[in-house]
Amino acid sequence: MGYINYRFNDNFNAQIGNYKNILGDGYRSLFLSDNASPYPYVKVDAEFWKIKYTNIWMQARNTNLLTEREAFQTKFMAIHHLSYNVNKKLNIGLFEAAIWDNEPGRGFDISYLNPLLFYQMVEFSTGTEGGKVMVGANYKYKWTDNFHSYG
């Protein structure tokens, strides 16, 4: 387990490694939780003004399914998370993730290197039935320094 991190400047950060990530709020986020085994990934963060934009591309293994060669089934994920600090107390965000099987002859599809939201259009253009796209929104409100609500 480990990763290499490089901060280009105050606004851009890149990370590559075999570790865990978390996106969202709470002890166990519903978007991407750190309650998993380590996985290879590439992560890029950009922060401007009150906006933070995160892209993660990763490879996951489904330990419940084995391939014909008795190996764990491999899946790939591409994730975007855009968050906006409305003020000092309120943060809102958009989340999108595409997950697709490692179909024979497909591997990691470079169409998913798209750094912009809306993977659904990429998934539709590939014509595959092996992929799924999840979309979500989140908020976090700080009532006090010790009491927050999120959803």
Side-chain angles (χ1 to χ4, degrees):
M1 292 189 329
Y3 59 87
I4 297 170
N5 191 66
Y6 183 76
R7 180 166 289 283
F8 294 96
N9 55 35
D10 290 341
N11 301 68
F12 291 102
N13 186 55
Q15 197 174 88
I16 184 169
N18 187 46
Y19 203 64
K20 308 174 198 182
N21 289 284
I22 186 166
L23 278 176
D25 298 303
Y27 179 66
R28 293 285 181 241
S29 173
L30 292 176
F31 292 146
L32 181 62
S33 175
D34 60 350
N35 187 23
S37 56
Y39 45 82
Y41 70 93
V42 174
K43 178 179 174 180
V44 177
D45 289 318
E47 289 187 55
F48 295 99
W49 185 53
K50 297 179 177 186
I51 296 172
K52 182 175 181 182
Y53 192 56
T54 301
N55 288 298
I56 302 174
W57 298 277
M58 60 187 266
Q59 178 184 12
R61 298 199 182 211
N62 185 347
T63 58
N64 295 322
L65 294 174
L66 294 174
T67 64
E68 294 174 1
R69 296 181 182 159
E70 299 296 317
F72 292 129
Q73 182 186 20
T74 303
K75 292 186 176 206
F76 295 102
M77 292 180 68
I79 301 169
H80 294 155
H81 185 251
L82 175 68
S83 67
Y84 172 65
N85 290 324
V86 177
N87 54 40
K88 290 183 179 184
K89 294 187 174 219
L90 179 63
N91 177 283
I92 57 174
L94 294 173
F95 171 83
E96 181 179 38
I99 304 169
W100 67 97
D101 291 331
N102 187 10
E103 299 167 354
R106 183 174 184 190
F108 185 86
D109 192 339
I110 62 170
S111 302
Y112 290 98
L113 291 177
N114 168 23
L116 304 174
L117 286 169
F118 308 117
Y119 279 129
Q120 183 64 40
M121 291 181 283
V122 174
E123 185 65 30
F124 181 73
S125 70
T126 61
T128 181
E129 295 180 12
K132 294 178 177 43
V133 176
M134 297 180 293
V135 179
N138 66 302
Y139 83 95
K140 179 179 180 179
Y141 190 81
K142 296 180 183 179
W143 298 94
T144 68
D145 288 341
N146 297 322
F147 183 72
H148 305 170
S149 62
Y150 59 89

